[in-house]
């Protein structure tokens, strides 16, 4: 979306109508689930981890490794993949539902993204490493990388830049990509180049994955699920070719899911996104999210400097002296511009 949305009254009415229908349906489902819960008898409470969340249900893994499909108590306002919970199994199976999530532990970290209609939505919780997956098919986008890095800095989750599909690169393309990734290495980010297809470089990835919980994020079609399949062939996650027509992925993975890696560590595969929006952040937070800008922030001649063509701009000066990469500065302005343009009206 590049233009601000101006909806007609009729469109607004229709959206409101659809939202009401959706709410009614959810309320009916919740009431039915509550009824089932009241009739059920439960075992003692036990700790668990959310493997996957869909609609009103979640798959919860217990410490013995078993997975129980659970309803959620209505007091639970938010539950995502990676959440640590307290749950109870039903003593007798209730159809497909065999338990209930009673409570959620406080999150160590949470990856959220703003949704045009639903506001800020959590995607996954308790993540230690945000693995930003890119490829050259779909085309490498430094803008998307920058957006994820700003988010990682804001959420204080360590990022790792992973470039997949290096088997597709010619020598000159490889040199080109290395140059682009150098921008990030210079400012202290770690990078990995590998191929889920040929297996080249996969061993280096193991070292990152074996500690804590990691999540694969990035555009659709960059090969997140293919990487998972390389690591755990028995999972056989569904993958799909990048469209010949658009050059984009086909949004194959639809829900985030957590896996236990045989070599230790947990990995969450998540659905690809078209654009990682940052509407929920202020301009200042975005500036701070560019880690190499920090020494220069507050040093501009004018306090309200927009770092555009303002005279005496410290950031501009740093770009001129080569301390800040022009590509990063350019993307920074693009991000601020798109935040102002695409913001939903309710924000
Ligand atoms: N040449 C090559 N192709 C790859 C590689 N990794 C993945 N692919 C292909 O890229 C396409 C997309 O892969 P997926 O794993 O479905 O991508 P994804 O990131 O999970 O996509 P979403 O689930 O839509 O977010 C498939 O056709 C894969 O076979 C690689 O290392 N090299
Ligand atoms: Mg996928
Ligand atoms: Zn400035």
């Amino acid at each position: 979306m590049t233009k601000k949305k101006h909806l007609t009254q009729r469109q607004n009415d229709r959206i409101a109508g659809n939202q009401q229908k959706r709410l009614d349906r959810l309320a009916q489902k919740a009431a039915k689930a509550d009824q089932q819960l009241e009739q059920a008898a439960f075992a003692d409470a036990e700790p668990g981890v959310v493997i996957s969340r869909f609609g009103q249900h979640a798959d919860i893994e217990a410490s013995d490794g078993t997975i129980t499909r659970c309803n959620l108590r209505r007091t639970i306002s938010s539950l995502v993949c990676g959440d640590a919970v307290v749950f109870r199994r039903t003593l007798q199976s209730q159809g497909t539902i065999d338990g209930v999530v009673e409570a959620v532990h406080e999150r160590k970290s949470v990856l959220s993204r703003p949704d045009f209609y639903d506001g800020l939505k959590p995607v996954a919780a308790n993540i230690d490493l945000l693995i930003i997956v890119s490829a050259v098919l779909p085309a490498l986008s430094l803008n998307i990388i920058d957006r994820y890095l700003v988010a990682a800095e804001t959420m204080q989750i360590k990022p790792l830049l992973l470039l997949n599909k290096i088997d597709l690169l010619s020598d000159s393309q490889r040199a080109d990509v290395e140059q682009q990734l150098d921008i990030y290495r210079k400012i202290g980010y770690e990078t990995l180049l590998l191929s889920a297809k040929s297996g080249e470089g996969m061993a280096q990835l193991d070292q990152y994955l074996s500690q804590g919980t990691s999540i694969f994020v990035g555009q659709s079609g960059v090969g997140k699920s293919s990487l998972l399949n390389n690591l755990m062939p028995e999972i056989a996650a569904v993958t799909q070719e990048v469209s010949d027509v658009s050059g984009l992925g086909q949004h194959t993975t639809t829900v985030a899911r957590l896996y236990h890696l045989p070599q230790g560590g947990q990995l969450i595969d998540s659905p690809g996104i078209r654009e990682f929006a940052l509407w929920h952040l202020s301009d200042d937070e975005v500036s701070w999210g560019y880690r190499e800008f920090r020494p220069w922030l507050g040093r501009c001649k004018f306090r309200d400097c927009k770092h555009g063509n303002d005279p005496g701009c410290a950031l501009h000066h740093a770009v001129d002296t080569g301390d800040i990469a022009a590509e990063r500065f350019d993307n920074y302005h693009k991000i601020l511009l798109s935040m102002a343009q695409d913001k939903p009206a309710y924000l």
Side-chain angles (χ1 to χ4, degrees):
M1 265 165 278
T2 50
K3 286 215 185 94
K4 202 178 186 119
K5 289 216 152 175
H6 290 293
L7 301 178
T8 62
Q9 190 55 44
R10 191 182 290 177
Q11 282 172 316
N12 275 326
D13 288 349
R14 200 175 61 216
I15 290 172
N18 286 342
Q19 271 170 352
Q20 191 52 51
K21 273 186 211 153
R22 205 172 57 160
L23 287 176
D24 289 346
R25 267 202 306 274
L26 281 178
Q28 274 171 9
K29 268 192 173 173
K32 196 172 154 208
D34 273 5
Q35 223 177 9
Q36 276 181 346
L37 284 177
E38 273 164 29
Q39 289 159 4
F42 294 101
D44 289 344
E46 52 184 312
V49 176
V50 178
I51 293 294
S52 196
R53 158 84 198 264
F54 29 88
Q56 291 304 104
H57 309 308
D59 281 347
I60 308 298
E61 188 183 52
S63 37
D64 63 6
T66 57
I67 294 174
T68 306
R69 185 149 297 179
C70 292
N71 271 323
L72 317 181
R73 289 279 183 211
R74 265 207 271 179
T75 45
I76 293 172
S77 56
S78 166
L79 191 78
V80 290
C81 189
D83 262 323
V85 299
V86 176
F87 82 107
R88 291 163 77 196
R89 300 173 205 247
T90 48
L91 292 178
Q92 260 173 357
S93 177
Q94 304 285 301
T96 53
I97 307 298
D98 291 316
V100 60
V101 178
E102 299 279 4
V104 189
H105 287 286
E106 203 180 319
R107 293 165 177 162
K108 265 197 313 190
S109 65
V110 58
L111 170 67
S112 302
R113 70 187 198 91
D115 177 273
F116 195 86
Y117 298 103
D118 293 339
L120 198 61
K121 277 177 75 168
V123 177
N126 301 319
I127 298 153
D128 301 300
L129 185 66
L130 185 79
I131 305 185
I132 305 165
V133 184
S134 307
V136 286
L137 179 74
L140 179 60
S141 164
L142 301 193
N143 188 285
I144 290 183
I145 291 180
D146 280 9
R147 286 167 182 269
Y148 273 116
L149 286 175
V150 168
E153 294 288 347
T154 313
M155 296 176 300
Q156 302 191 309
I157 303 174
K158 182 185 151 82
L160 168 68
L161 302 186
L162 189 162
L163 185 89
N164 185 31
K165 308 196 190 185
I166 56 167
D167 57 289
L168 295 177
L169 298 177
S170 66
D171 286 350
S172 74
Q173 279 175 316
R174 171 103 187 206
D176 215 35
V177 157
E178 291 280 8
Q179 213 173 23
Q180 289 178 299
L181 291 179
D182 264 342
I183 297 171
Y184 296 94
R185 296 183 186 120
K186 272 197 194 130
I187 51 176
Y189 291 119
E190 291 174 54
T191 62
L192 268 188
L193 281 78
L194 46 72
S195 166
K197 191 175 177 187
S198 73
E200 187 186 346
M202 288 298 296
Q204 285 167 280
L205 178 59
D206 279 353
Q207 296 167 7
Y208 286 95
L209 295 175
S210 58
Q211 288 136 25
T213 302
S214 308
I215 183 167
F216 283 151
V217 295
Q219 270 182 289
S220 174
V222 292
K224 299 177 294 296
S225 301
S226 303
L227 289 163
L228 169 71
N229 284 340
N230 182 298
L231 295 160
M232 297 181 76
E234 67 277 18
I235 297 296
V238 181
T239 66
Q240 212 179 168
E241 269 168 35
V242 170
S243 156
D244 278 344
V245 183
S246 64
L248 296 173
Q250 314 207 47
H251 297 273
T252 310
T253 306
T254 52
V255 283
R257 189 175 175 90
L258 182 142
Y259 301 90
H260 294 281
L261 297 165
Q263 68 271 39
Q266 286 79 242
L267 176 63
I268 299 172
D269 184 20
S270 78
I273 48 106
R274 203 145 274 148
E275 193 184 70
F276 192 82
L278 295 169
W279 305 312
H280 56 302
L281 301 182
S282 67
D283 287 6
D284 282 349
E285 283 172 314
V286 174
S287 310
W288 190 84
Y290 272 80
R291 60 154 57 155
E292 75 276 32
F293 290 8
R294 290 176 201 161
W296 314 96
L297 296 176
R299 292 175 176 237
C300 301
K301 184 165 168 197
F302 297 105
R303 263 196 66 189
D304 60 347
C305 184
K306 296 277 180 262
H307 319 305
N309 289 320
D310 317 48
C313 173
L315 290 180
H316 248 290
H317 181 73
V319 174
D320 290 341
T321 55
D323 290 302
I324 289 176
E327 292 88 341
R328 290 268 288 171
F329 197 52
D330 196 36
N331 277 331
Y332 164 74
H333 283 297
K334 281 188 188 146
I335 290 172
L336 289 190
L337 194 67
S338 78
M339 280 165 61
Q341 282 180 342
D342 300 340
K343 218 179 226 186
Y346 58 77
L347 284 181

